[in-house]
């Protein structure tokens, strides 16, 4: 049933049964021939929903009345839930989240990759579903997101904020009081920095007009107890910089790497910016399985350290090394997987687009006394050529862990030419993974599949697939 406005447009869809969940945490229902995506709805809910956007075949809606609450529902634990763009599945029990992530991987592989998923293994959940991240980046803004209570407040409002972008609003920042993603001292650090900046009258960045000095705050922590703090300023105001950095050094003696950046560009990327060390080292160390990894301000490292260890163990197990293999590690990043598996193989050849990541990979091999790795920086499709393979040898095993866009078609074509006995494909996007697997099907069979949850309370999920070369 539905209610219509005077102009005949449906405004309220009544007694909608939520049957599934889509990306971005929206519940899915059907109203006649219309697919309806309902904000904050959980499979099993029965709701009346108000339509906020309608297209030919689908509509987006918000809950007007919750008639029946799903057995899968739970109370969100974060005060910022619903406004903040992260942790959009907090209102659904974690075990249910894992079920729907498993289904999403399965559906993508079946639909897009035409893969037989009968051998698919159970999803591995994260042992910790809060405080699991080792890196967070906050944004300063002079345009704080105002909630309904703020709107009703007649007093003069503090408009400066330090927190996260509100979804679909690049210029509005939600002022975060407590975030459940990163353990202490993350929350105390952020709140103390905000309080100091307000107390000292420091200017917060205007994301539209590109004025103000404080831009970003990056906090990295490690399982070794080390802490890195990076403050990004918009211009050189040495007295302000010295004041804030000295305050952090004195108030948080546990900071082992205190850095700052002057970013005068209009975008927030720091990869082309100089990192200045104010106190301590220019890096921190992470440890995994007896190996040490150097983490700099620009380094890539899996943000869920404990679950990354589980992911790499699965990757290694899928490869089934005997000890004499030549391994190609594509999209190697800082060489974490390459160094992780190096002890059980003959040699690992790692390739990565970002030159600074390759420098980290080389450093990490040297740091751990690993001498059977070799790394190259450059675009994968340009590096991985027939002459490169002729020079380094045909790999027995290829490990590939590409970005969300998946592998370039030229890289897939090269894999088909190489004919390695095994390919272990690690992916953060089951759809592009399935697309690539469909192309590899010309010469490879999928023999093992295992999803791994790296990011609880989000729709994101990693997936590991083992492909074996077909017999001639």
């Amino acid at each position: 049933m539905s209610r219509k406005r005077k102009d005949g447009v449906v405004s309220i869809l009544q007694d909608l049964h939520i049957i599934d969940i889509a990306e971005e945490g929206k519940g899915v229902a059907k109203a006649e021939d219309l697919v309806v995506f309902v904000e904050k709805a959980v499979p099993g809910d029965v709701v009346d929903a108000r339509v906020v956007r309608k297209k030919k075949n689908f509509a987006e809606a918000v809950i007007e009345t919750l008639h029946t609450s799903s057995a899968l529902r739970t109370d969100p634990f974060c005060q910022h839930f619903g406004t903040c763009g992260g942790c959009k599945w907090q209102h659904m029990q974690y075990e249910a989240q894992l079920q729907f992530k498993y289904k999403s991987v399965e559906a993508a592989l079946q639909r897009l990759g035409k893969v037989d998923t009968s051998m698919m293994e159970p999803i591995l959940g994260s042992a910790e579903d809060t405080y699991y991240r080792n890196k967070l980046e906050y944004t300063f803004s002079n345009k704080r997101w105002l909630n309904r209570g703020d709107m009703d407040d007649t007093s003069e409002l503090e408009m400066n904020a330090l927190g996260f972008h509100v979804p679909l609003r690049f210029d509005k920042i939600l002022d975060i009081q407590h975030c459940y993603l990163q353990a202490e001292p993350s929350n105390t650090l952020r709140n103390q920095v905000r309080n100091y900046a307000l107390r000292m009258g420091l200017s917060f960045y205007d994301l539209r007009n590109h004025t103000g000095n404080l831009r970003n705050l990056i906090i990295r922590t490690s399982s070794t107890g080390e802490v890195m703090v990076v403050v990004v300023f918009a211009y050189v105001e040495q007295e302000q910089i010295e004041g804030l950095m000295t305050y952090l050094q004195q108030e948080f003696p546990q900071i082992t790497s205190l850095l700052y950046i002057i970013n005068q560009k209009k975008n927030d990327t720091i990869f082309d910016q100089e990192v200045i060390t104010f106190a301590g080292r220019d890096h921190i160390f992470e440890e995994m399985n007896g190996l040490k990894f150097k983490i700099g301000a620009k380094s890539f490292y899996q943000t869920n350290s404990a679950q990354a260890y589980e992911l790499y163990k699965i990757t290694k197990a899928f490869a089934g090394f005997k000890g004499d293999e030549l391994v190609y590690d594509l999209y190697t990043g800082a060489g974490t997987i390459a160094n992780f598996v190096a002890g059980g193989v003959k040699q690992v050849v790692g390739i990565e687009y970002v030159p600074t990541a390759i420098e980290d990979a080389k450093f990490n091999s040297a740091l751990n006394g690993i001498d059977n790795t070799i790394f190259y920086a450059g675009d994968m499709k340009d590096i991985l050529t027939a002459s490169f393979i002729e020079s380094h040898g045909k790999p027995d095993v290829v490990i590939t862990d590409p970005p969300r866009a998946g592998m370039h078609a030229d890289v897939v074509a090269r894999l088909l030419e190489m004919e390695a006995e095994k390919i272990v494909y690690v992916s953060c996007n089951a759809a592009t993974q399935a697309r690539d697997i469909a192309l590899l099907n010309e010469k490879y069979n999928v023999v093992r599949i295992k999803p791994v949850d790296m990011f609880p309370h989000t729709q994101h999920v990693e997936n590991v697939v083992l492909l074996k070369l077909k017999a001639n």
Side-chain angles (χ1 to χ4, degrees), residues 290-455:
L291 300 174
K292 291 183 74 173
F293 295 96
K294 173 189 173 185
I295 311 294
K298 303 177 185 179
S299 296
F300 172 79
Y301 193 81
Q302 285 281 3
T303 52
N304 185 340
S305 299
Q307 196 69 342
Y309 178 42
E310 301 301 325
L311 179 72
Y312 297 159
K313 283 197 295 185
I314 291 165
T315 301
K316 190 174 181 179
F318 273 28
F321 297 124
K322 299 183 183 70
D324 59 351
E325 290 90 350
L326 172 62
V327 180
Y328 280 14
D329 181 26
L330 310 187
Y331 313 92
T332 190
T336 317
I337 291 180
N339 285 301
F340 187 84
V341 304
V345 301
K346 181 181 178 182
Q347 186 178 49
V348 185
V349 178
I351 307 173
E352 166 60 42
Y353 178 75
V354 182
T356 54
I358 287 299
E359 291 307 310
D360 284 345
K362 292 176 179 177
F363 181 94
N364 289 328
S365 286
L367 178 67
N368 291 284
I370 296 170
D371 58 6
N372 63 333
T373 58
I374 184 168
F375 296 101
Y376 294 91
D379 193 305
M380 190 67 60
K381 63 181 174 54
D382 298 331
I383 294 284
L384 195 65
T385 62
S387 60
F388 181 92
I389 297 161
E390 184 179 353
S391 172
H392 292 85
K394 172 185 164 183
D396 302 293
V397 179
V398 172
I399 298 172
T400 181
D401 186 3
R404 289 190 62 79
M407 294 188 289
H408 190 281
D410 290 351
V411 177
V412 176
R414 191 66 66 203
L415 290 176
L416 289 169
E417 290 174 17
M418 282 195 297
E419 295 187 340
E421 181 188 345
K422 301 174 187 175
I423 298 174
V424 183
Y425 192 151
V426 184
S427 173
C428 60
N429 184 341
T432 55
Q433 184 186 43
R435 177 204 67 201
D436 295 344
I437 287 172
L439 298 173
L440 291 167
N441 182 61
E442 178 185 330
K443 292 187 177 181
Y444 286 88
N445 289 320
V446 173
V447 294
R448 291 188 75 177
I449 308 166
K450 189 170 183 68
V452 180
D453 184 26
M454 301 287 288
F455 305 106

Side-chain angles (χ1 to χ4, degrees), residues 91-109:
H91 60 315
M92 184 164 56
Q93 294 172 8
Y94 185 52
E95 286 303 317
Q97 294 178 31
L98 294 177
Q99 293 172 24
F100 286 106
K101 291 186 184 195
Y102 181 95
K103 283 175 56 181
S104 72
V105 171
E106 184 179 45
L109 292 177

Side-chain angles (χ1 to χ4, degrees), residues 111-294:
R111 187 178 72 255
L112 302 173
K114 303 297 185 279
V115 174
D116 175 9
T117 58
S118 60
M119 87 297 286
M120 191 164 161
E121 299 171 26
I123 185 170
L124 178 67
S126 178
E128 302 294 335
D129 67 348
T130 57
Y131 305 119
Y132 60 83
R133 286 185 68 100
N134 56 42
K135 179 187 176 185
L136 279 183
E137 181 170 344
Y138 300 102
T139 300
F140 292 91
S141 174
N142 65 345
K143 290 184 171 60
R144 179 171 68 88
W145 176 260
L146 301 177
N147 57 37
R148 190 172 297 277
D150 294 325
M151 303 288 194
D152 298 334
D153 192 341
T154 57
S155 61
E156 186 175 348
L157 296 173
E158 174 58 67
M159 291 304 297
N160 289 314
L162 176 56
F164 299 129
H165 287 268
V166 172
L168 305 179
R169 292 300 302 266
F170 83 94
D171 62 334
K172 295 289 186 181
I173 296 297
L174 177 66
D175 200 42
I176 298 295
Q177 301 303 312
H178 187 96
C179 179
Y180 286 85
L181 284 173
Q182 189 177 32
E184 287 291 1
S186 183
N187 280 298
T188 304
L189 260 165
R190 183 198 59 255
N191 291 334
Q192 297 264 91
V193 167
R194 183 207 301 108
N195 293 342
Y196 173 89
L198 293 173
R199 189 168 66 249
M200 301 303 292
L202 305 187
S203 56
F204 287 45
Y205 199 65
D206 187 312
L207 293 155
R208 263 187 201 281
N209 299 314
H210 303 288
T211 57
N213 197 15
L214 292 173
R215 291 192 67 159
N216 301 101
L217 174 69
I218 302 167
I219 303 172
R220 302 189 82 146
T221 54
S222 77
S223 60
T224 61
E226 297 189 340
V227 179
M228 172 184 289
V229 176
V230 187
V231 183
V232 184
F233 298 90
Y235 51 83
V236 179
E237 182 62 63
Q238 205 59 41
E239 187 177 341
Q240 292 184 10
I241 295 171
E242 292 279 344
L244 176 53
M245 303 306 282
T246 300
Y247 171 79
L248 283 168
Q249 184 182 23
Q250 293 173 348
E251 290 295 312
F252 297 94
Q254 66 267 52
I255 295 175
T256 46
S257 175
L258 184 54
L259 317 171
Y260 70 92
I261 294 169
I262 310 295
N263 178 14
Q264 301 185 60
K265 302 183 286 87
K266 290 187 176 180
N267 65 60
D268 285 338
T269 57
I270 65 168
F271 291 101
D272 55 352
Q273 301 294 293
E274 180 188 4
V275 181
I276 302 163
T277 303
F278 183 84
R281 294 189 247 104
D282 66 354
H283 59 275
I284 57 177
F285 287 108
E286 181 60 273
E287 288 187 359
M288 180 188 293
N289 195 37
L291 300 174
K292 291 183 74 173
F293 295 96
K294 173 189 173 185

Side-chain angles (χ1 to χ4, degrees), residues 54-68:
K54 188 176 182 298
K55 295 293 184 179
K56 183 178 178 181
N57 298 318
F58 75 92
E60 295 179 2
V62 296
I63 296 174
E64 189 80 3
T65 306
L66 178 60
H67 293 297
T68 303

